[in-house]
Amino acid sequence: AAKYQRVFDQRKRRIRGLWIRNERYYAQLTVPDQNTGKKSVRRVCLEDPDTKEPVSSVAKAVAVLNRLKVQREDNRMTVLRKRTPLFSEYADDYFRFYETVRDAKRPASLRTERACVHRWNEFLGPVRLSQVTRPLINGFIAKRQGAGVSGRTVNLEVIALRNILKRALDDGYIKDLPTDKIKPLKYKPEKKRLVTLSDIEKICQSAIEIGQNGVEFADFIKLMAFSGARWSESLRLKWSDVNFELRQLTIGSDGLAKNHLAREVDFNSNLESHLKEMAQRRAPDSEYLFPSPRRGSEDLHATTFNMTLRKVRTH
């Protein structure tokens, strides 16, 4: 195997920091790691800044080497990496970061991204970040659409890929985003059938007849119908969010609502009477409107009623 050899000028003097191997010139520089700040010695192949081709002469190699030294002093030097990591490995680091920095992304957002990235890992295989190209992305989109996946789902998967590649761009692993100028697929959502109040009453009555979590599930469904709150927002509601004096219900006081903005909903007759009925059945050991039946000694809210919903629909 070829070895790194020292480079000398015309007067046979050693040029510090310059090496040659396989007729290519390399700069040996001490650079700090972007993440840890620790300094380490790296070798990088010298390229002509205009043509991006390896330099072919000692004079040109010295000029490029001196330019890199100036950039290092001015803190403008491109991060030098030993090797670009695999996409799957970098995706794992991406999720580990956001699991540690909990206030950066919501857990629900990370769960969605994990599911999307799993699809990308299956399609890409052992591909490095620098090898993720536009043709590969187009191939993924075509494969997913050919499998009957909706345009909205494919758009979410492309967004998840873009998020990881943006972070790789910031870390210096790639020079540009292959997802730039990709137009989202057009899709037409299905028109949902209106659920009338009589339908809601029928659902709630079936839940009560089933028994297990039936009353709490019926309260949950009616609260969403009377207030317009979303599923996850309703589950996190506390009794401190209910103001009977001002006749208002505050949704999103925990900062986790849509767009991180809380909103007040004025009582209507149905909402007010429903909340008063719920207050009479309030669990004395919980501050939540919908406490978890398996909370134990902790005060936790219910996380899902999916099982109850399936039983109700079957009933």
Side-chain angles (χ1 to χ4, degrees):
K3 296 182 179 180
Y4 288 99
Q5 297 178 348
R6 297 176 179 180
V7 179
F8 300 89
D9 61 12
Q10 293 179 349
R11 301 175 64 181
K12 304 300 181 181
R13 293 178 300 184
R14 168 83 171 90
I15 302 177
R16 292 177 57 85
L18 191 61
W19 298 78
I20 187 171
R21 187 184 71 166
N22 288 339
E23 300 182 356
R24 289 193 175 188
Y25 292 95
Y26 292 82
Q28 180 172 299
L29 297 171
T30 302
V31 294
D33 186 90
Q34 188 182 30
N35 298 321
T36 63
K38 295 182 179 180
K39 293 183 178 180
S40 60
V41 178
R42 302 285 178 84
R43 285 196 181 108
V44 57
C45 182
L46 296 178
E47 297 179 349
D48 189 301
D50 298 325
T51 63
K52 302 301 180 182
E53 296 291 333
V55 296
S56 57
S57 65
V58 175
K60 189 67 175 178
V62 172
V64 177
L65 174 61
N66 292 333
R67 182 175 181 177
L68 288 177
K69 289 180 179 179
V70 173
Q71 291 178 352
R72 180 182 61 180
E73 295 298 326
D74 296 340
N75 201 24
R76 295 184 293 108
M77 188 175 179
T78 305
V79 181
L80 302 180
R81 303 287 183 180
K82 291 184 178 180
R83 195 173 186 184
T84 306
L86 295 174
F87 174 82
S88 58
E89 294 175 351
Y90 187 78
D92 292 339
D93 293 337
Y94 172 90
F95 289 117
R96 276 194 294 268
F97 172 81
Y98 284 109
E99 286 173 355
T100 305
V101 186
R102 298 182 179 179
D103 293 335
K105 285 196 174 187
R106 299 181 184 181
S109 300
L110 290 178
R111 285 195 298 270
T112 302
E113 284 191 341
R114 279 188 181 278
C116 296
V117 171
H118 177 71
R119 295 291 186 184
W120 281 105
N121 287 335
E122 289 181 340
F123 178 80
L124 295 175
V127 169
R128 299 193 177 274
L129 283 171
S130 57
Q131 297 173 331
V132 179
T133 59
R134 184 66 176 269
L136 273 178
I137 298 173
N138 290 337
F140 174 85
I141 294 174
K143 180 180 178 181
R144 296 290 284 160
Q145 283 272 275
V149 180
S150 69
R152 180 179 183 275
T153 300
V154 177
N155 290 340
L156 290 175
E157 292 168 343
V158 174
I159 290 173
L161 174 69
R162 183 185 298 126
N163 291 341
I164 292 179
L165 294 181
K166 280 184 178 179
R167 184 170 178 82
L169 181 66
D170 295 337
D171 288 344
Y173 285 117
I174 57 177
K175 297 180 180 179
D176 50 28
L177 281 177
T179 54
D180 278 351
K181 298 181 181 180
I182 291 183
K183 295 182 180 180
L185 298 176
K186 296 181 180 180
Y187 67 93
K188 186 177 181 180
E190 296 182 2
K191 185 177 181 180
K192 298 181 179 180
R193 182 179 65 87
L194 175 65
V195 180
T196 64
L197 185 59
S198 61
D199 294 330
I200 294 173
E201 292 290 349
K202 190 181 300 182
I203 292 171
C204 295
Q205 184 60 37
S206 297
I208 295 173
E209 292 176 2
I210 289 176
Q212 186 179 6
N213 300 330
V215 175
E216 190 174 20
F217 175 80
D219 290 340
F220 175 63
I221 294 296
K222 289 181 179 179
L223 180 72
M224 289 192 295
F226 298 151
S227 66
R230 296 177 175 86
W231 180 285
S232 56
E233 294 173 340
S234 301
L235 290 174
R236 296 192 303 267
L237 285 174
K238 299 180 179 180
W239 284 107
S240 58
D241 298 324
V242 181
N243 192 324
F244 287 105
E245 295 181 1
L246 296 179
R247 302 182 70 248
Q248 284 185 335
L249 174 65
T250 303
I251 300 174
S253 61
D254 54 2
L256 299 178
K258 192 73 171 180
N259 299 324
H260 304 275
L261 298 176
R263 63 187 186 277
E264 284 75 30
V265 177
D266 294 330
F267 283 178
N268 52 59
S269 57
N270 288 331
L271 179 59
E272 183 174 15
S273 60
H274 181 57
L275 286 173
K276 288 181 178 179
E277 291 179 6
M278 289 181 59
Q280 296 177 358
R281 301 190 300 270
R282 174 182 176 180
D285 59 339
S286 178
E287 61 178 342
Y288 291 101
L289 270 68
F290 305 103
S292 173
R294 301 180 180 180
R295 60 187 180 277
S297 58
E298 297 183 74
D299 189 11
L300 304 173
H301 63 77
T303 57
T304 178
F305 285 104
N306 288 339
M307 185 64 71
T308 306
L309 177 60
R310 285 194 286 269
K311 291 181 178 179
V312 168
R313 294 175 65 181
T314 303
H315 185 266

